Amino acid sequence: IFFYYFKINMGRFLLFSLAIFSSISMAQVHDANLWTSVGLSGDLTDKFTLNYETQTRFYKNATTLDAYYNELGVDYSPLKPLTFSIDYRYSRKNKESYFEGIHRFCFSTTFTQKFDDLGLTFKARVRYQIPFNRLGVVNDNVYPDSKNVLRFKIGVKYRTVNLKWLQPFTSFEIYKGVKPVNQYNAIDSYRFIVGFTLDLPKRHSIDIYYMLEKEYRSVQQLNHIYVIQYNYVLFKDPIFKEPAPTTAE
């Protein structure tokens, strides 16, 4: 049902995205950012996965530490295409004269559809994030006065038969402030990503990608973000395996 609904509305979504990219801003600040991160994950069972991520973010043409965080989350997949996630993040945000501590909870639902014949994996995600204990920006990409934010993301990854270790991907995400609402624009920000994954032996991988981020504020911000992330899968198999069904003799 979800996939059928998405196909019907894909045209409208692409037209809306094109309108965002083609909009002309009155005042705009450009900046180059560098993000470096490490991600760890491991299957606890066939349905539960534990995730950890740490990241540092540099801004002002990648010369100054802007923020760093640690994030811990759990994924639950009751059905093959659906995943529900809860993540907690603690970050430190540069406020020029000091670093401010920020807590954040995220609640996500992800739909995944694989097209094995084409080598494609499609993902659509809806996320609701709630920050607290903070006076400034939730993180780098949200309008400063927004507290609770709703995010919509679609993405696709390509995996070839003869070159499985190199997997290009792209995605597009919209941020919408819920409380309070952005007074300058219908959305708070958007992100467009293009990059690739290096699928290395023994459960190692590296993501390298470029992110174009537009923030709608009183003075609009356009960020060119370069990201490199190392990933490692902790366990080859789930820690707690479900017992095999027994057959009556």
Side-chain angles (χ1 to χ4, degrees), residues 38 56 64 114 123 150 159 161 173-174 193 197 204 237:
V38 174
T56 56
T64 305
K114 291 186 177 181
K123 284 190 177 183
L150 193 59
R159 183 186 181 99
V161 177
E173 186 170 19
I174 292 174
I193 292 175
T197 297
H204 300 271
D237 299 307

Side-chain angles (χ1 to χ4, degrees), residues 190-201:
Y190 68 78
R191 286 177 169 181
F192 173 73
I193 292 175
V194 59
F196 58 88
T197 297
L198 298 176
D199 191 3
L200 305 176

Side-chain angles (χ1 to χ4, degrees), residues 39-246:
L40 304 175
S41 64
D43 291 337
L44 301 178
T45 68
D46 291 334
K47 296 182 178 181
F48 284 93
T49 301
L50 186 65
N51 303 294
Y52 169 77
E53 182 176 290
T54 182
Q55 185 176 92
T56 56
R57 299 179 176 182
F58 296 87
Y59 71 141
K60 296 182 180 180
N61 293 321
T63 61
T64 305
L65 179 62
D66 182 35
Y68 59 93
Y69 69 76
N70 290 279
E71 183 174 276
L72 187 65
V74 176
D75 298 339
Y76 172 60
S77 301
L79 302 173
K80 192 171 184 180
L82 282 179
T83 301
F84 302 101
S85 307
I86 299 177
D87 302 285
Y88 165 74
R89 173 185 296 186
Y90 178 73
S91 60
R92 302 285 293 177
K93 173 71 177 177
N94 190 343
K95 308 299 290 185
E96 300 299 339
S97 60
Y98 66 98
F99 278 82
E100 177 188 12
I102 303 169
H103 303 268
R104 192 186 80 177
F105 280 103
C106 285
F107 304 90
S108 307
T109 300
T110 304
F111 174 83
T112 303
Q113 179 68 47
K114 291 186 177 181
F115 303 93
D116 295 330
D117 295 340
L118 301 175
L120 297 175
T121 299
F122 163 81
K123 284 190 177 183
R125 186 187 71 187
V126 178
R127 168 172 287 181
Y128 188 67
Q129 64 184 40
I130 305 172
F132 55 97
N133 289 354
R134 68 106 177 98
L135 300 175
V137 184
V138 178
N139 50 31
D140 294 1
N141 56 329
V142 179
Y143 172 72
D145 292 337
S146 293
K147 295 182 180 180
N148 299 346
V149 179
L150 193 59
R151 300 164 56 173
F152 304 91
K153 182 178 181 179
I154 58 171
V156 63
K157 175 177 280 192
Y158 179 61
R159 183 186 181 99
T160 63
V161 177
N162 299 323
L163 204 64
K164 294 183 178 180
W165 59 271
L166 181 62
Q167 303 170 16
F169 60 84
T170 185
S171 67
F172 181 70
E173 186 170 19
I174 292 174
Y175 288 68
K176 173 65 176 177
V178 177
K179 183 183 179 181
V181 177
N182 191 330
Q183 59 180 311
Y184 299 104
N185 197 69
I187 64 171
D188 292 89
S189 61
Y190 68 78
R191 286 177 169 181
F192 173 73
I193 292 175
V194 59
F196 58 88
T197 297
L198 298 176
D199 191 3
L200 305 176
K202 296 184 179 181
R203 307 190 302 279
H204 300 271
S205 67
I206 297 176
D207 293 331
I208 301 174
Y209 57 92
Y210 164 76
M211 178 193 302
L212 178 67
E213 177 185 75
K214 179 66 173 288
E215 302 175 275
Y216 293 94
R217 308 180 180 183
S218 55
V219 176
Q220 297 181 15
Q221 180 90 15
L222 187 65
N223 298 317
H224 304 274
I225 304 171
Y226 305 89
V227 185
I228 180 168
Q229 175 166 335
Y230 164 76
N231 304 293
Y232 179 65
V233 178
L234 296 172
F235 319 116
K236 184 177 180 180
D237 299 307
I239 298 179
F240 306 103
K241 294 184 178 181
E242 296 182 0
T246 58

